[in-house]
Structures are given as C-alpha cells and as structure tokens.
Amino acid sequence: MIKNYFKIALRNFKKNKLYSFVNLSGLTIGLVTCMLIGIYIQNEITYDNFHANADRLVRVTSDLRMSGSEHQFAQTGTKVGPAFKRAFPQVSEYVRTMKSAGAITVNQQSFDEKNILYADAAFFQTFSFPLLQGSAASVLGDPKKVVLSRSTAKKYFGNANPIGKTIQLNGGEAHYEVTGVSEDVPLNSQIQYDLIISFNSLDAAKTEIWSTANYITYLLLQNSDQIRPLAHAITDYMKKVNEEEMDIPKTDYWTMHLEPLKSVHLHSKLAGLEANGNIMYIYVLTIVALLILLIACVNYTNLCIAQSANRGVEIGIRQVMGAEKRQLIKQFLGESTLLTSLALLMALFTSMVVLPLFNNITGKDFSFGIFLNPLFLIAAILLSLIISLLAGLYPAFILSSKQLAQTLKLSLQITNSGGMMRKGLIIFQFSIAIFLLATTFIVLKQMNYVQNKNLGYDRSHVLVLPVDAKTHGVYEQLKNVFKANPNVLSVTGSYEDPTSIGWGDGIHAEDGTGPKDLSLNATPADLDYLKTMGMTLVAGRDFVPADFAAPESTTAPGSQHRTAYILNEKAVKDLGWTPEKAIGQIVSRGIPGPVVGVIKDFHFESLHAPIGPLLIFPDTSLVRQLFVKIKSDHIAATLGTLEESWKAHVGHRAFDYHFLDDDFQSLYKTEERIADLFSVFSGIAIALACMGLFALAAFTTIQRTKEIGIRKVLGANITNIVMLISKQFLLLVFLAFLIACPVAWWMGSDWLDDFAYRMELNSWIFAFAGLTAICIAGITVSFHAIRAALANPVDSLRNE
C-alpha cells in the first residue's frame, strides 16, 4: 500500500510540474530560513550557558548620580571585587577584567592583537574555559603571566610547546611568561580573548579604588538564590561607602547592581567586554522565521485546494473501490510528507551553501559541522514532520471528503472550490510580506538617517592609529613627520575617539551663586583636536601650547592656573551659564582651570542616547589614539607615505590603522545586521508569496480558458482580459496591505523609541511597501493573463 502511495505521489508531482516546483522550492526556502535563524537564535539564547557556575555568576554594574545627572555603566573600580568578598560571605570569588589591544612581539616577530584580556588569578577557576596546559589555580597568579588560546599559541609558536616561553607587549622591556594554553573561546561567550594577562600586571591592581571605573567585575556566589538578597545588601553597604569613604552628598549616590551572567547578553543595556545582543531582535527573528514558513505552508495548502478539481476522478474511483476516508487522508498526508522530506534534503544542502553569506550578515562564524549535529538533525526532521501536517492536513481532509468527491464528479464550477479559504490564505501571506517590507523600509530609513545626520564633527578621511607606552616616546616626532606630509591636513591625539567617549568624570565650579557639581563625560586631547575633528567653537578659543604646561595641583589663593578646559553646550547649560558667560569661569576636576572655549554639541555616543555634558582637557600623556586628517584624493599614496614614516619611528608594531568612520559604523552593527536580515527575509517573503500567486494565476487561467475565448470572440481586448484575471488577486493584496500597515506602524514605532534621535515615521513608507507588493503581484499575475489574452480563441474553444 505504501509503495502504491509513493508511486501515485511521484506520478502526481510529474504531472503537475509547476505546482510541484512551487511547493518544493517554497518549502525548501522556508526550511532554510528556519534552519539559519534557528542556529542564530540558539547561539544567542545559550550565551554563557556552558559555564559550570553560570547560575552563580553575576556581573557588577555601576549606578551613579551626581548633581541630578544619572549614569549607568558596566565598569567598576578595582575595589569592588575585593571589598565585596571581604564584606559579604555570599561571595565566593571575584574576577576583575579589562579588555585591551596591543602589539605582541615573539622572537622579534610582531603581531597586532585586538583581543587581549587582563583577568584576576581566579579566572579559570570561576569560568569554564578549559585549560589544555597549565593549572587553573596558578596560571594567572603572579604578575607578567599570560595564557594563550589554542589558536594564538599555534600562531606564535607553531607546534612547539609554548609553556615557559616569553612574549613582549607593546615593545616594552618586560617579558610575559606563558604559563598556560586554553581552548579557543566558544562563539556564545561574552568574554572573548586570544590571550589573557594576569590582572596584577597592571599598575592599577596595586591599589583598591572605588571610583576609577575601567574594569568589568564578576562575582561567584555561594548559591544562585542569593543574587536578590545580596543586591539589597549591597545597596545598604554602598550608602555607608558613599558617606564614609567617597564623601558623596546625600542628594547623590554611587551604588552597584548585580546582573545574572546568563541574562547579560540579551537583557542588559550596558555594554561590557563585548557588544550585547537584544532579546527583542530574537523575538522578531523567531516570528519572521515562522511567518516565512507559514507562507510556504499556505502555498502548499492553496495549490492543493486549487488542484482538487483535477483529482476528482481519482478520488471517486478510490472510493468506489472501497477506499476509506482514513486511507485517503494517509495518502495525501504521505504526499505532503514525501514533498517535505525532499525539501528537507534540499534545505540542508542549500543551508551549507549559503552559510558563509549568512555568517557575513550576522557577524557570526558558524561552521558546516553544526548541520551534522545529531540534535540539529533531529530538530530539522521534527520540523519537517510538523510542516507536513501543517501543509497537508487541511487539503487531506478536504480531498478525502465524500461531499467534495461527489461535487467534483458532477463537474460543477470548480474555480470557486475552496474559494474563501484560498482568498484568506492569499491575504494572510501577503499581509506577512507587506509587514516585512514596511518594517525593512523603516529600519533602512533609520540607518540612512543615522549615516547622514550631522553629528557635530567630521568623521571622513580621519585615520586612527594606536599609541602605546613605547610609541609615546616618539609621539611628538611622529606628529611632526605626519604634519610635513602635503596630503595631511592636521594631526592630533586623544584618549579615545569622538564616536564613543566613555570616560566618566565630574567637575566642580563656583561662580558666586553657590557651588556647582556636574557629572559628565570627559576626554583628554592634544592640540588641534577641534580642527582635526571639524568641531565648531561657539565661544572662546581652542587649546594653545601654553595650556599643555604641567598643571599646578595647588588651589591656594593667588596661584596661577596652568590648565584649561573646553565644555560643550550641554555642560554649560547644565551649569546654568550661557556660552559667553562660561568663558573664564573656573572649574575643577581635581586641578582648577578656566573654561577657555565652548563647542557646539556633538554626538559622542550612539544616537540611542541623548547628547550629555562633555569636558575636554589638555593632556598628551593620556593619548592612546593618534588621528590624522588626510585629503580625499590620492588616499592610497598618502597611506603609503604615512606607513613609511610610521615604520621609521615605530619599529615595534605594524602600521595597523583604521578610519574614524569605521568606529562610527561599529556603533550600529546590530542594527545594520538586522536591516540586512530584514531585507533578505522580506525579499524571501515576497518571492514565496508571488510564487504561490503565480501558480494560482496559472491554474485560474487554465480553468477559465473557455470563458476567456468567448469574451475575446465577443470583442474583449487584452486589457479587458488582463483586468479580468488580475483584479481578484490585486484586491486581495490590497486587503493584505490594509491589515499589515497598522501592525508595521506599531512595531516600527516601538523599535524607533530605542533611539533618542530618530527619523519621522511617514505614511509614505507604508504606501511604498504596499505599492511595491501590489506591483510585484500585478506583474506576477499579468504574465499568465497576457498569455491567455494573446491566445487564439478558436484554439481555446476547440480544446474546451
């Protein structure tokens, strides 16, 4: 019996090539979409689950309020971990970490590493990163010790045993001993590294300070159920610290919060060692995958119902021969299972082919081996079985009904068979397609808004180069050599680039109306910082060489201030001044100095956040990045000459440059990836919907061949025939547009609320999405309508 069903199914597929192709390709695309989104979502929701102590690990975050201004950030001072372990018995261990980049020298060969991690001695005992060589208890116990990942060890030392060998960091005289080799870090880890250096190698580790918040601190608790009680205890503890150690006024505070490790990646808004994901995007992608799969299932159901007329004789004969309803249901479910099984095999192959492209879009590095994972294969098979039921169950019951068989045998009007169901399904799948189109347009338009918004500085053609401790020795010489290049417009330096200034600070001022304290962001900068970045002075002047003289630490009456400060408009406004009044006012961030300039507000964070107060102060000792503004022409030649100058002065590391624009783009990587994914999936949804519409239009045209022939004989022209066939389908697409628009509007508005600066949500976006869908649907249907209209009516009537 099963063999007979199999033969009939293959015969039916062969007989109806168009419908079989549409169904097979549609189900394949739906499965590929689900598979790829599935491995992405699985990777995201399992972040950090591989740690044996994951349920007991928390990340400590800072919450600061100063002069009414509130700030939340993931970094803490060096004292948080040790102090909490001493004060709270619930804390078993702490690990302080800091991400860095630098040049590693091994046997006189230099490697630029962007994934260096500093971590406390308990790192490998707290986290489950397997050590291939070395003891977890001691590999990071002493200063100047380093653990390499497997890939890094291979890169540095080949097949030789790296244990006991040494490396140099940033060309310094100190040598770091390799004490261990760890397995490469999994993709789904918020802690990523290529090498780990012992935290006590840092000078900052020698003292415990609350306020210098540059480190990510993790705590290992005794039990997972202690997180909430400990969080309350920390709040009370920090109140005492505010009063007794930090001397913070009662109107302000500095406290700490705890985030469970497993919730950080998707649920925290505070970026730490790596950029966070977003749980909302996971929900959206899950829905998108299911919707695309539903479109494919709808196509199958729709075409099966449409073809039901052609199978009336077969069903009738089987019933006459004694076939029961359950046997007919098994037959049609078997056909859907066979088709889905073929689609599954094609989907597995297709997924492997497009995986590199998917990796490029998502920024992941999934390997082909994931498709051979037993759990993945079991999930894929179960998914295909579910699809078989979803796609085939309704047609199976309809085609096996005695009433339908009798109706079909009577050769009544067949184009209306299952008409309401088909129409409803067409509306459903085009609603999905238009919704995806509209939301894609919203995301793309917001990204275009971000790219073209005036940020308050000019990020174009600004070269960024690293400045480490050894480079500081030739910093001024390097600047002068670069400035002498005729294709260089200006050169400056700073602690961090203006796209993302994370330095938290505070200033104190007294202007005769009472003391003023302001919490703000700050950045140390060199001469020509404003010029190089294209920033606008609203009042006052830029820094001059005299501002860079060693500042006096004394605040005694009559002492000469030997430093200067530049504020942005927001800081001036928060202090209650106008830009003109601010010039000459004395402010202090430990060292007093006059405000010499006020600059126009610029975006020093992503557009998700409003512009906050900012302080720029002169200090070349803290420069970590060198900025070179070059001319827009002859860029390749300019880079070549700059590289020669760099090599002549900085011999310990390569000319590892990037452009400031790249740093800006990195702020919106998540949104850009979502935009790319939505673009792909909206295209898939439209393509699938149109494939089904194409097949249905073909079937409808065939069924109305006689009617079309008669109409042509009676004088109907091509336009009349095209409209006759097209209008019923286009009306359904228009109804889908009316359903999809409110949902897309609501989803788009909710997504845009995450941006402090956003584009206006105009109605034309939805009109354009609807018009696009209607035009594509019209073209799809018109192909068959025009072919039918051009056919000879005599042939049509003779064939009928």
Side-chain angles (χ1 to χ4, degrees):
M1 183 65 72
I2 295 176
K3 183 179 179 181
N4 185 46
Y5 289 164
F6 183 76
K7 284 183 178 180
I8 293 172
L10 289 178
R11 191 180 301 148
N12 189 50
F13 294 162
K14 186 176 180 181
K15 180 181 177 182
N16 300 284
K17 294 183 179 65
L18 173 62
Y19 310 123
S20 299
F21 171 77
V22 169
N23 283 330
L24 185 59
S25 56
L27 291 173
T28 298
I29 293 171
L31 283 168
V32 169
T33 302
C34 280
M35 285 179 181
L36 294 179
I37 291 181
I39 61 175
Y40 177 83
I41 291 174
Q42 192 269 344
N43 175 263
E44 290 287 295
I45 64 177
T46 58
Y47 249 73
D48 301 305
N49 285 4
F50 62 90
H51 294 295
N53 299 322
D55 292 334
R56 296 193 289 133
L57 281 163
V58 295
R59 184 178 75 168
V60 185
T61 64
S62 298
D63 187 355
L64 168 67
R65 176 178 174 177
M66 183 177 291
S67 301
S69 179
E70 297 182 358
H71 302 270
Q72 291 82 37
F73 41 92
Q75 292 76 17
T76 69
T78 54
K79 190 169 183 177
V80 172
F84 284 4
K85 184 179 180 181
R86 291 191 294 265
F88 303 108
Q90 300 98 315
V91 179
S92 295
E93 197 52 85
Y94 66 88
V95 175
R96 296 166 295 180
T97 62
M98 186 183 77
K99 198 73 173 287
S100 183
I104 301 296
T105 304
V106 182
N107 298 326
Q108 299 184 340
Q109 186 177 2
S110 182
F111 302 89
D112 276 297
E113 300 289 358
K114 294 180 172 58
N115 217 6
I116 300 173
L117 186 71
Y118 289 88
D120 273 311
F123 180 83
F124 285 103
Q125 295 172 292
T126 303
F127 297 100
S128 300
F129 295 108
L131 276 173
L132 303 177
Q133 290 180 269
S135 168
S138 60
V139 284
L140 297 174
D142 298 322
K144 303 296 186 293
K145 304 299 181 183
V146 61
V147 175
L148 308 178
S149 70
R150 180 204 290 265
S151 298
T152 306
K154 179 80 172 177
K155 179 171 65 173
Y156 291 171
F157 302 105
N159 295 323
N161 184 3
I163 302 300
K165 292 184 168 58
T166 60
I167 64 173
Q168 289 176 278
L169 176 63
N170 294 328
E173 295 182 1
H175 286 71
Y176 294 78
E177 180 188 358
V178 178
T179 54
V181 176
S182 76
E183 187 57 87
D184 290 338
V185 182
L187 286 176
N188 55 346
S189 172
Q190 65 177 274
I191 301 175
Q192 295 286 333
Y193 63 85
D194 291 319
L195 60 158
I196 304 182
I197 299 175
S198 51
F199 192 82
N200 52 20
S201 304
L202 296 169
D203 291 337
K206 299 174 182 176
T207 55
E208 294 182 3
I209 300 175
W210 288 106
S211 58
T212 308
N214 295 318
Y215 314 97
I216 304 295
T217 301
Y218 297 94
L219 303 179
L220 176 62
L221 308 187
Q222 297 282 358
N223 296 297
S224 59
D225 56 3
Q226 295 174 330
I227 296 177
R228 184 169 294 179
L230 178 60
H232 291 305
I234 286 174
T235 300
D236 295 333
Y237 176 80
M238 289 305 297
K239 289 178 181 178
K240 294 181 181 179
V241 172
N242 286 183
E243 288 182 37
E244 300 172 5
E245 297 185 49
M246 302 181 73
D247 196 27
I248 294 178
K250 291 185 178 181
T251 54
D252 296 325
Y253 61 81
W254 190 323
T255 191
M256 306 292 167
H257 300 301
L258 303 180
E259 294 180 335
L261 180 71
K262 292 197 293 186
S263 70
V264 169
H265 180 67
L266 290 179
H267 298 277
S268 178
K269 293 185 177 180
L270 306 177
L273 295 174
E274 296 290 327
N276 291 334
N278 190 321
I279 189 63
M280 183 57 66
Y281 293 150
I282 299 302
Y283 295 148
V284 169
L285 287 175
T286 302
I287 293 171
V288 166
L290 293 177
L291 290 180
I292 288 176
L293 196 58
L294 279 175
I295 290 178
C297 292
V298 164
N299 275 348
Y300 183 90
T301 303
N302 242 348
L303 292 177
C304 282
I305 295 173
Q307 293 178 75
S308 61
N310 293 336
R311 305 194 68 176
V313 176
E314 174 196 340
I315 296 168
I317 291 174
R318 283 188 171 276
Q319 287 180 326
V320 169
M321 297 298 292
E324 298 179 0
K325 184 174 181 178
R326 60 184 178 84
Q327 291 176 310
L328 294 174
I329 291 174
K330 286 180 181 179
Q331 176 188 336
F332 294 119
L333 283 179
E335 288 182 11
S336 67
T337 302
L338 175 61
L339 191 69
T340 308
S341 299
L342 291 173
L344 176 61
L345 294 175
M346 292 180 63
L348 285 170
F349 175 75
T350 306
S351 297
M352 293 182 184
V353 172
V354 301
L355 185 62
L357 176 62
F358 186 73
N359 282 340
N360 186 51
I361 293 175
T362 60
K364 300 292 185 179
D365 191 24
F366 299 118
S367 64
F368 296 111
I370 196 168
F371 297 112
L372 302 178
N373 184 293
L375 290 177
F376 176 85
L377 291 174
I378 291 172
I381 292 170
L382 287 175
L383 179 62
S384 68
L385 291 175
I386 293 171
I387 293 170
S388 299
L389 290 175
L390 287 175
L393 200 59
Y394 179 78
F397 274 99
I398 293 296
L399 295 177
S400 63
S401 69
K402 183 178 180 181
Q403 291 78 11
L404 176 61
Q406 291 174 340
T407 302
L408 295 177
K409 190 167 65 174
L410 291 173
S411 301
L412 296 178
Q413 180 65 32
I414 54 179
T415 54
N416 288 327
S417 176
M420 290 304 295
M421 173 62 73
R422 288 207 312 275
K423 291 175 182 178
L425 292 176
I426 290 172
I427 292 172
F428 173 75
Q429 60 185 176
F430 270 94
S431 296
I432 296 171
I434 293 171
F435 163 77
L436 290 175
L437 268 180
T439 49
T440 298
F441 290 157
I442 291 170
V443 174
L444 291 175
K445 192 168 186 293
Q446 175 63 14
M447 289 298 97
N448 183 65
Y449 173 85
V450 167
Q451 296 295 334
N452 294 289
K453 190 181 189 308
N454 183 0
L455 301 173
Y457 63 92
D458 183 8
R459 65 181 191 269
S460 61
H461 304 110
V462 177
L463 206 66
V464 184
L465 288 160
V467 177
D468 54 40
K470 191 169 184 178
T471 308
H472 264 290
V474 295
Y475 174 70
E476 291 298 332
Q477 296 170 267
L478 194 61
K479 276 177 54 183
N480 292 332
V481 171
F482 283 173
K483 285 180 181 178
N485 191 314
N487 290 318
V488 171
L489 300 174
S490 61
V491 183
T492 190
S494 180
Y495 180 76
E496 51 196 338
D497 67 61
T499 65
S500 182
I501 297 177
W503 181 311
D505 217 316
I507 57 174
H508 175 81
E510 293 193 27
D511 59 359
T513 61
K516 299 175 184 290
D517 291 294
L518 180 64
S519 175
L520 40 60
N521 290 81
T523 185
D526 198 358
L527 279 170
D528 297 327
Y529 182 74
L530 304 187
K531 175 184 175 182
T532 304
M533 299 304 171
M535 296 174 182
T536 304
L537 270 170
V538 177
R541 63 169 176 82
D542 197 353
F543 292 135
V544 295
D547 296 325
F548 290 83
E552 294 182 354
S553 59
T554 177
T555 57
S559 65
Q560 182 181 7
H561 302 292
R562 296 184 61 187
T563 191
Y565 297 108
I566 293 176
L567 297 173
N568 70 346
E569 292 174 302
K570 174 63 174 168
V572 167
K573 181 180 179 181
D574 288 352
L575 289 168
W577 301 331
T578 63
E580 292 74 20
K581 183 181 177 182
I583 303 302
Q585 297 286 350
I586 304 300
V587 299
S588 173
R589 53 172 299 274
I591 301 170
V595 176
V596 298
V598 177
I599 59 170
K600 188 175 181 63
D601 283 340
F602 70 92
H603 293 274
F604 56 85
E605 294 180 278
S606 80
L607 297 187
H608 289 284
I611 296 176
L614 179 71
L615 171 78
I616 303 175
F617 61 95
D619 193 335
T620 57
S621 68
L622 295 171
V623 166
R624 295 199 311 185
Q625 297 191 77
L626 181 65
F627 304 102
V628 185
K629 180 79 170 182
I630 62 176
K631 293 180 180 179
S632 58
D633 50 353
H634 310 301
I635 292 179
T638 303
L639 291 174
T641 55
L642 291 178
E643 183 175 9
E644 291 177 4
S645 301
W646 176 271
K647 288 180 177 179
H649 292 81
V650 186
H652 67 283
R653 66 186 307 169
F655 184 65
D656 184 27
Y657 72 89
H658 66 274
F659 285 96
L660 186 61
D661 199 52
D662 297 332
D663 292 327
F664 175 77
Q665 300 292 345
S666 67
L667 296 175
Y668 307 98
K669 276 185 179 178
T670 302
E671 287 78 9
E672 287 179 353
R673 286 167 182 164
I674 289 296
D676 291 340
L677 286 172
F678 264 65
S679 299
V680 171
F681 295 143
S682 62
I684 289 174
I686 281 288
L688 286 176
C690 287
M691 283 170 63
L693 197 62
F694 182 84
L696 279 175
F699 184 83
T700 301
T701 303
I702 292 171
Q703 298 300 324
R704 302 184 72 171
T705 300
K706 183 176 181 179
E707 176 189 352
I708 293 169
I710 293 172
R711 286 180 178 274
K712 290 190 69 176
V713 169
L714 294 176
N717 57 30
I718 294 178
T719 303
N720 298 140
I721 301 301
V722 171
M723 289 301 300
L724 174 70
I725 302 297
S726 302
K727 65 181 181 181
Q728 58 177 317
F729 293 110
L730 296 183
L731 177 61
L732 298 178
V733 177
F734 179 73
L735 291 175
F737 164 72
L738 296 180
I739 294 171
C741 279
V743 181
W745 186 291
W746 172 70
M747 289 286 289
S749 298
D750 187 65
W751 180 75
L752 288 171
D753 284 342
D754 196 36
F755 289 84
Y757 303 89
R758 45 175 282 184
M759 60 89 174
E760 186 178 350
L761 196 57
N762 295 317
S763 57
W764 71 261
I765 295 175
F766 305 96
F768 184 67
L771 185 62
T772 300
I774 290 172
C775 288
I776 294 173
I779 293 170
T780 301
V781 175
S782 296
F783 173 83
H784 295 294
I786 292 173
R787 193 168 72 168
L790 293 174
N792 189 333
V794 176
D795 295 334
S796 301
L797 295 174
R798 184 168 56 226
N799 292 334
E800 287 291 319

